[in-house]
Amino acid sequence: MYAYGGTVVLDVTPAGRFAPSPSGDLHIGNLRTAVLAQLFADASGRRFLLRVEDLDRVREGSEQRQLADLAALGLRWAQPLVRQSDRRSVYETVIARLTADGHTFECFCTRREILDAPSAPHAPQGAYPGTCRDLTESEREERRRTRPAAIRLRADVAEFTVHDVLHGDFTGDVDDFVLRRNDGTPAYNLAVVVDDAETGVDQVVRGDDLLTSAPRQAYLATRLGSSPPEYAHVPMVLNTAGARLAKRDGAVTLADLADTDVDASDVLSLIAVSLGMASAGERVTLDVLRDRFDPARLPRDPWIFAGAP
Ligand code: GLU
């Protein structure tokens, strides 16, 4: 049983979700992931939630445009929308309970200090070297005077295995990762896990750039008494140079594409073709895609987007 819950709601019937950060417009790669998240949820009889991950990097007007773009493609999500900025007190409660149980510690390291610290033998590259893990109370007192602390999880494993529908079993590093940054912002890894657990999300479909985050998140879920979700990390969309698609690659958002006379329905068709679920030029709707959806037949390689034909 999830033991660290906040005070809120929540409907815990099984759900899938899409969780964009409102830091700019969604590009065709993000939209493709969103379509897949909806199809995975629908095909497995789950509710579909939309979560706005607005704890930082928020750009004015971006949330509204993202929601409008998703709706224009035909996506439908359950109400209410989950907005992370409304849930800060829940994350604080979880951190306070983990702390009361001795599962966290204060960390005063700067990024530079972490990079420069000799790492423990066998520790994975980039893992937190443990500098502040065992400080005495008087050492902590002294450091608090120089810098606000981040809060880290006291991890008791070095790796964790998750199951992914497309990648099979995936084992990745787990270190004493940050739960609250030293500016007071709840960390992404904490917020995602708490939100998924509290809203019934037991299926996570997202870009495969986040596959390496899954072991940490799944491990934290177990530490909170919740079961890790089923994962499907879907291939990214790349530009013709093989780099991750970005705004500078030209017309990649619905608004840019509309300026070149490619409307939302054309974009859905392009996405469907890229997924092997429609033939070139064929008109489709999400209902049609729902009927055709078969996770086993999804492409495993990135989609190279060279612009709308
Ligand atoms: N908000 C994250 C992003 O936009 C996704 C988080 C997730 O799906 O777990 O990259």
Side-chain angles (χ1 to χ4, degrees):
M1 244 285 285
Y2 176 72
Y4 285 84
T7 47
V8 209
V9 210
L10 300 152
D11 185 346
V12 288
T13 52
R17 47 70 157 187
F18 182 62
S21 305
S23 55
D25 287 353
L26 297 169
H27 61 55
I28 193 160
N30 310 128
L31 295 169
R32 184 182 191 243
T33 302
V35 166
L36 284 171
Q38 169 107 62
L39 292 174
F40 265 98
D42 293 351
S44 57
R46 288 175 165 90
R47 294 178 301 133
F48 183 61
L49 306 180
L50 200 71
R51 181 165 76 228
V52 180
E53 302 213 320
D54 59 349
L55 292 175
D56 62 358
R57 294 187 299 126
V58 172
R59 182 169 301 169
E60 186 64 37
S62 171
E63 174 186 321
Q64 288 71 17
R65 285 199 304 279
Q66 291 187 344
L67 299 185
D69 287 355
L70 294 170
L73 288 184
L75 270 73
R76 299 288 175 262
W77 51 90
Q79 297 298 332
L81 187 81
V82 180
R83 199 174 280 111
Q84 289 189 326
S85 58
D86 295 337
R87 294 176 42 77
R88 280 180 186 266
S89 65
V90 177
Y91 310 129
E92 283 308 318
T93 304
V94 173
I95 293 169
R97 291 192 190 161
L98 283 169
T99 300
D101 290 347
H103 298 325
T104 71
F105 63 90
E106 288 171 274
C107 172
F108 303 90
C109 296
T110 61
R111 208 164 288 186
R112 188 75 252 162
E113 284 165 345
I114 292 174
L115 285 174
D116 290 348
S119 50
H122 314 302
Q125 234 205 343
Y128 180 67
T131 320
C132 295
R133 199 177 218 259
D134 299 312
L135 294 181
T136 63
E137 184 50 35
S138 70
E139 286 170 328
R140 279 200 295 270
E141 271 299 325
E142 193 187 312
R143 300 209 188 173
R144 280 186 203 122
R145 275 184 239 129
T146 56
R147 190 177 300 140
I151 304 291
R152 288 182 183 270
L153 179 70
R154 218 174 258 287
D156 54 15
V157 299
E159 54 180 39
F160 199 76
T161 301
V162 297
H163 186 73
D164 187 285
V165 176
L166 301 176
H167 296 261
D169 282 346
F170 175 80
T171 301
D173 301 330
V174 177
D175 64 352
D176 294 335
F177 58 89
V178 172
L179 302 176
R180 185 172 69 212
R181 303 189 330 211
N182 78 349
D183 64 1
T185 308
Y188 157 68
N189 279 324
L190 173 86
V192 163
V193 173
V194 170
D195 290 342
D196 286 343
E198 292 200 4
T199 55
V201 170
D202 61 353
Q203 180 188 61
V204 168
V205 178
R206 59 188 180 187
D208 62 13
D209 55 331
L210 288 170
L211 178 61
T212 53
S213 300
R216 284 189 185 83
Q217 294 171 6
Y219 169 69
L220 179 58
T222 63
R223 290 289 295 263
L224 297 177
S226 165
S227 305
E230 161 187 294
Y231 291 100
H233 287 90
V234 301
M236 306 287 288
V237 179
L238 306 179
N239 65 19
T240 46
R244 200 194 283 202
L245 197 68
K247 280 281 274 177
R248 62 180 169 278
D249 291 316
V252 293
T253 66
L254 276 197
D256 306 330
L257 286 160
D259 288 343
T260 66
D261 283 335
V262 177
D263 65 16
S265 137
D266 299 324
V267 172
L268 187 65
S269 295
L270 282 174
I271 289 173
V273 172
S274 81
L275 293 169
M277 294 171 68
S279 46
E282 184 188 351
R283 292 267 154 222
V284 287
T285 60
L286 262 181
D287 282 334
V288 168
L289 296 183
R290 237 173 238 122
D291 288 341
R292 295 183 185 174
F293 182 64
D294 176 0
R297 295 179 57 192
L298 287 177
R300 307 295 165 114
D301 295 324
W303 178 31
I304 310 292
F305 183 69

